[in-house]
Amino acid sequence: MSSTMSSIISTASRMLLPIIPGDDNERRHFILFSSESEPLFTTYFETSFWNQLILQLSQAEPAVHHAVVALASLHRRLMGSSQHGIECDASTDDYGLLQYNKAVASLIKYIAKEGDDSLDIVLVCCILFIYFDMLRGEIESAGKHLLGCLSIFSTIRQTQRNLTTLRGELEPMLVRVNVQTKSLFDTPSRADDPTAGVGSLPTRFSGLSEARNSLNSLMNKILNLIQSQALRAENFVTMADTTADLQLEESASYLSLLERWDAAFSKFLLHRTNLSSRDRDAVKLLMIHHAASYIILFCAPIFSQCMNDQYLPQFERIVSLAKSLLEPADGTLPGQCGLQSVWVEMGIIIPLFLTGWKCRNPLLRREATKLLSAPRQEGTWDSIAAARIAERIIALEEAGLPQILVAKDVPEISRIYDVKLKSICYQPQSSRSCIVGLLKARSGVGIIGTEVIETVLW
């Protein structure tokens, strides 16, 4: 046995029970998950769910165990290498799906049971299924699991059942998944979205996790607002002034919340001068997401796209901070400083894509697109795919225009105001493609425009 494997098993044995369930292959994947796959979930933010709870549950509950093994197998496949006695080839996909199906089969008995324990196991497995499907590009399946989780949480609130410690960990995770899927994809929403009220805005945050949960809750609320505004505007070819004024007034109320979050975060940073390198990176990421929230709120399809030009400082902040995360000043590689090439959470891809799309400054949008060209995956988001779509948007918007020096050189009628994902063919380690609808050429401020269908390969 190699010294590396002995070290891994020694580490795992200190964290876990002496006996790891399953056959030899399952045990190897389980050790891989406990030793290597944790950064897939906790790159910047500590959480007892991944560090402790999920490992303990997977030893006692077969459904959780098989779901964990499936995730470990998929992670190894995405990383594209063979380590710790696990060969990485085409059969890895089949093995991951086999474990996924075993988890589903094991979960059936819990669905029929009553009680908090069974409900918690169902919720944990649903979360694991969501992440598994997201990483595989199975957006529709992930969406169904997400709606199932939201339905369970809605029932919990309606029946006034206790929010257990485990559910307290799961609910912010659902908010983050919601934000990921709503930020570009047309995912179904619940009118009684139980995650809409997660988080709070204190005068000063007590820690990075509280600040993260609060910001993601706010982003989720903003995306719910954007969806409702878009539905309201669908009936208008050109929005009436009163309707446009109402939309701006609604958005302004969320601007106040973003400013309150920023104030609470600034006070937290003033009182925390001893942040670790990992925490400093987490701060940068939260600042990126805060800037992206402004863009999502005020650069929505319902507004004139020329309004986007006033948010150049937010676009610049996103590019500058993302660059510092991707290109550390001390010369370490991104993976060494904490920025993983595969991550289930929202990181820098969505904000950089929004910059490549919504920022019409020719140099800045191209710099954002260039940063996306480094291969990364964050949940359903692939950086290369995002870069290809952004490049196509730039080409369409600038086609036939004279020299573009500043954002205003791209007229309203040339700007892509919405992106709709039509379908995706996603296979790790092989050719991938997606079909997107790019909406442009509006006359006035409205929703109706010309849709350009594009097939993007990467």
Side-chain angles (χ1 to χ4, degrees), residues 104-121:
V104 172
S106 299
L107 189 61
I108 293 175
K109 67 177 183 179
Y110 294 100
I111 296 176
K113 288 183 178 180
E114 293 185 0
D116 285 341
D117 290 344
S118 294
L119 191 58
D120 284 347
I121 298 303

Side-chain angles (χ1 to χ4, degrees), residues 14-266:
R14 289 195 299 271
M15 298 169 58
L16 310 172
L17 298 173
I19 300 177
I20 301 173
D23 57 30
D24 289 344
N25 203 15
E26 289 178 4
R27 284 192 286 271
R28 282 193 291 267
H29 279 87
F30 185 84
I31 292 172
L32 171 66
F33 183 91
S34 63
S35 61
E36 261 190 47
S37 295
E38 182 192 338
L40 182 70
F41 309 99
T42 62
T43 297
Y44 298 109
F45 303 93
E46 292 289 344
T47 166
S48 62
F49 179 80
W50 295 111
N51 296 340
Q52 300 174 15
L53 293 174
I54 197 67
L55 299 176
Q56 294 168 355
L57 283 172
S58 62
Q59 291 188 337
E61 305 294 344
V64 180
H65 168 77
H66 290 300
V68 164
V69 172
L71 271 174
S73 176
L74 179 58
H75 185 206
R76 174 53 52 213
R77 177 63 165 162
L78 290 170
M79 297 302 291
S81 61
S82 301
Q83 295 182 16
H84 311 315
I86 303 172
E87 294 300 320
C88 183
D89 53 29
S91 64
T92 308
D93 285 341
D94 294 336
Y95 185 75
L97 285 172
L98 173 65
Q99 292 296 320
Y100 177 92
N101 291 331
K102 283 186 176 182
V104 172
S106 299
L107 189 61
I108 293 175
K109 67 177 183 179
Y110 294 100
I111 296 176
K113 288 183 178 180
E114 293 185 0
D116 285 341
D117 290 344
S118 294
L119 191 58
D120 284 347
I121 298 303
V122 171
L123 285 169
V124 167
C125 287
C126 280
I127 285 284
L128 297 177
F129 294 158
I130 288 170
Y131 286 134
F132 184 85
D133 286 332
M134 287 173 63
L135 290 172
R136 293 180 63 243
E138 296 292 341
I139 300 168
E140 184 176 351
S141 179
K144 289 179 180 178
H145 288 307
L146 174 59
L147 286 177
C149 280
L150 294 177
S151 178
I152 292 173
F153 269 100
S154 180
T155 301
I156 290 172
R157 292 189 180 280
Q158 289 173 5
T159 56
Q160 298 183 333
R161 298 174 72 169
N162 293 331
L163 195 65
T164 63
T165 301
L166 182 58
R167 292 172 201 164
E169 292 266 1
L170 291 174
E171 200 166 16
M173 294 168 66
L174 285 176
V175 173
R176 297 196 294 272
V177 172
N178 244 348
V179 169
Q180 274 203 67
T181 55
K182 288 179 182 177
S183 55
L184 178 60
F185 310 125
D186 280 335
T187 53
S189 299
R190 290 178 55 92
D192 59 338
D193 183 356
T195 65
V198 178
S200 60
L201 284 170
T203 55
R204 187 181 85 193
F205 293 116
S206 61
L208 288 171
S209 291
E210 183 186 23
R212 179 198 195 192
N213 290 342
S214 180
L215 181 58
N216 278 287
S217 171
L218 184 51
M219 292 178 75
N220 190 44
K221 293 176 183 177
I222 289 172
L223 288 164
N224 285 341
L225 172 68
I226 299 303
Q227 283 190 343
S228 66
Q229 289 179 336
L231 288 172
R232 187 191 310 159
E234 277 182 351
N235 296 325
F236 295 89
V237 175
T238 300
M239 286 173 55
D241 289 341
T242 53
T243 305
D245 289 343
L246 174 61
Q247 315 272 46
L248 285 170
E249 184 178 338
E250 290 173 337
S251 297
S253 66
Y254 283 91
L255 173 62
S256 174
L257 292 174
L258 284 171
E259 291 172 344
R260 286 173 53 196
W261 184 94
D262 189 44
F265 193 55
S266 296

